[in-house]
Amino acid sequence: MIRDFAKSEDGATMVEMAIVSTLLFTLVLGFVDFGYALYQWNAATKAVQLGARLASISDPVATALTGAGPTTTPGAPVVAAAYGPFVCKYTGSAGACSNAGAFNAANFSRIFRGDTANTNDNACPAAGTDQRVGMCHFFPGLHRDNVVITYSATGLGYQTRLGGPVPTITVSLQNLTFNFFFLGGLLGFGNITMPSMLSTVTGEDLKSTAP
């Protein structure tokens, strides 16, 4: 009887299925998690591209930018590093720009949320049919303190230009992570820090009325 029990293979398939199923579910849920991470990567990339475009045709967040360029030699080139850089971002509820560049919250909001006004700065309102969308519409998990807008002089434009200096504008992200749902619970995976996803463009017509 004991010899027969030892030789019996009844239930072996169930045990094998339990082992294989655990590995299979881990792989499938891992694919789902990494697929979601790829979606977050793509959404963040699109958000900074849009943000850079909006920043290039909107009133500058650093209001000191318009008068920052040198004016001693009309028509002469504005050399690199002639002003700034103005690095503008939120820290908690307060916005600020480096190098004494006064921070304009409304101009920042236009880049972050588009033309749709909202009293909650971290909320992403529904986009209007005839209004520009903002960065948050491309990446819904984005908060305003994740966005960094930099205006720098890289040798573009000339002194006493009517529209002001021509900055190079960089929009990047900070303090964002890839969120893992299944792998975090099953295997204890921690969230991975997302790179800055920066996008750089040349300032065009720095006015909110530009097309």
Side-chain angles (χ1 to χ4, degrees):
M1 181 73 95
I2 296 177
R3 184 181 298 121
D4 293 340
F5 178 77
K7 292 181 179 179
S8 176
E9 295 184 359
D10 293 345
T13 302
M14 184 178 297
V15 174
E16 293 170 356
M17 184 61 185
I19 296 173
V20 172
S21 295
T22 301
L23 295 175
L24 179 62
F25 284 132
T26 301
L27 284 173
V28 170
L29 296 179
F31 287 140
V32 172
D33 257 356
F34 279 101
Y36 181 56
L38 183 61
Y39 159 76
Q40 294 175 77
W41 179 293
N42 184 65
T45 301
K46 294 298 183 184
V48 294
Q49 289 174 351
L50 175 71
R53 173 58 183 165
L54 286 176
S56 72
I57 58 173
S58 300
D59 295 315
V61 178
T63 57
L65 175 67
T66 55
T71 58
T72 55
T73 311
V78 176
V79 299
Y83 56 86
F86 300 111
V87 181
C88 303
K89 59 184 177 180
Y90 268 95
T91 302
S93 60
C97 297
S98 63
N99 288 310
F103 184 93
N104 188 297
N107 295 344
F108 184 95
S109 179
R110 186 174 292 110
I111 297 169
F112 177 68
R113 289 199 310 262
D115 291 336
T116 307
N118 193 287
T119 55
N120 187 336
D121 284 326
N122 275 328
C124 195
T129 56
D130 58 346
Q131 297 173 318
R132 294 186 297 188
V133 296
M135 295 177 67
C136 67
H137 294 98
F138 280 77
F139 193 0
L142 197 64
H143 287 176
R144 63 180 183 176
D145 55 3
N146 298 135
V147 179
V148 180
I149 303 173
T150 303
Y151 303 88
S152 55
T154 57
L156 300 174
Y158 56 90
Q159 297 185 31
T160 66
R161 177 177 176 270
L162 183 61
V166 181
T168 294
I169 304 171
T170 300
V171 175
S172 59
L173 303 180
Q174 64 176 3
N175 304 326
L176 274 175
T177 58
F178 292 115
N179 296 311
F180 293 108
F181 296 104
F182 301 114
L183 293 182
L186 292 174
L187 302 177
F189 270 40
N191 294 332
I192 300 175
T193 301
M194 185 182 293
S196 62
M197 305 291 182
L198 62 85
S199 182
T200 300
V201 298
T202 299
E204 296 180 22
D205 191 2
L206 298 176
K207 298 183 181 65
S208 58
T209 55

